[in-house]
Amino acid sequence: NDSKIVLLAGPVAAYAEGRFVGSGDVATIAGGERFIVGFGIDSSLRASRELVEKTDNVQGGNRVVDLTYRLGIDNFGEAAAKVRLLDRLPKARESEIKLTLMNSEGSAEPEKKTGILRWDVTVPAAGPGNKALALEYKFRLEHDKQLMISGMPVAAK
């Protein structure tokens, strides 16, 4: 807010190049305060998430599950796009399940409280069928072999 006027909290209608692109709410913004407003989705970008590999082993009294995910972004636009890519690691009580991020492309480190992984990337423009950007990460779950976890994914074949 470059003005000296306070922007009061309320609904926001966002326009880009004269077209309506989205709506939302904004908090009260003091004069000189920085804030972020979204401009809706970019229909030229498409994201995907795929389980690439799952290994399941028993070591002593523990079950060890390694999961590898691939995140992809297709950019069908004419120009490169700066994108913030987010994914969430599973949350569990540390007393029951140990979760370890084994490796991650780029500099994604999970946020301690939420387990959110974040990448700030530039996705080059590409034509249909060309994967403009792909990132992989792997994490390990270790828990008592008697503990059953529901909703565990099945690896793609």
Side-chain angles (χ1 to χ4, degrees):
N1 181 5
D2 291 337
S3 72
K4 295 181 181 181
I5 299 171
V6 174
L7 298 176
L8 299 177
V12 172
Y15 291 83
E17 298 175 0
R19 290 186 346 199
F20 176 76
V21 292
S23 62
D25 292 302
V26 69
T28 300
I29 309 297
E33 181 180 358
R34 291 184 58 107
F35 67 102
I36 296 173
V37 176
F39 285 98
I41 65 166
D42 184 343
S43 59
S44 66
L45 296 172
R46 184 169 301 134
S48 61
R49 181 176 187 259
E50 174 186 10
L51 176 63
V52 177
E53 182 180 17
K54 176 184 174 185
T55 60
D56 195 338
N57 300 306
V58 175
Q59 293 179 353
N62 287 339
R63 183 173 177 193
V64 179
V65 181
D66 289 337
L67 298 151
T68 302
Y69 281 94
R70 180 180 300 125
L71 305 176
I73 302 178
D74 290 312
N75 181 356
F76 300 102
E78 296 177 9
K82 289 186 177 185
V83 175
R84 177 168 292 160
L85 184 60
L86 303 172
D87 202 3
R88 181 186 307 265
L89 292 173
K91 277 192 84 164
R93 286 180 273 200
E94 290 183 28
S95 61
E96 295 177 4
I97 299 175
K98 180 181 176 188
L99 186 140
T100 308
L101 183 62
M102 303 299 288
N103 66 351
S104 170
E105 291 182 15
S107 59
E109 282 296 320
E111 187 177 302
K112 296 285 185 211
K113 289 184 180 179
T114 62
I116 298 286
L117 293 167
R118 173 182 153 180
W119 296 266
D120 291 315
V121 296
T122 300
V123 184
N130 296 331
K131 187 62 78 177
L133 179 87
L135 297 168
E136 285 191 6
Y137 69 94
K138 179 178 183 176
F139 64 93
R140 173 173 287 167
L141 298 171
E142 298 177 66
H143 57 86
D144 185 290
K145 66 181 178 184
Q146 300 301 322
L147 181 65
M148 297 300 290
I149 300 176
S150 63
M152 286 292 284
V154 177
K157 305 246 183 210

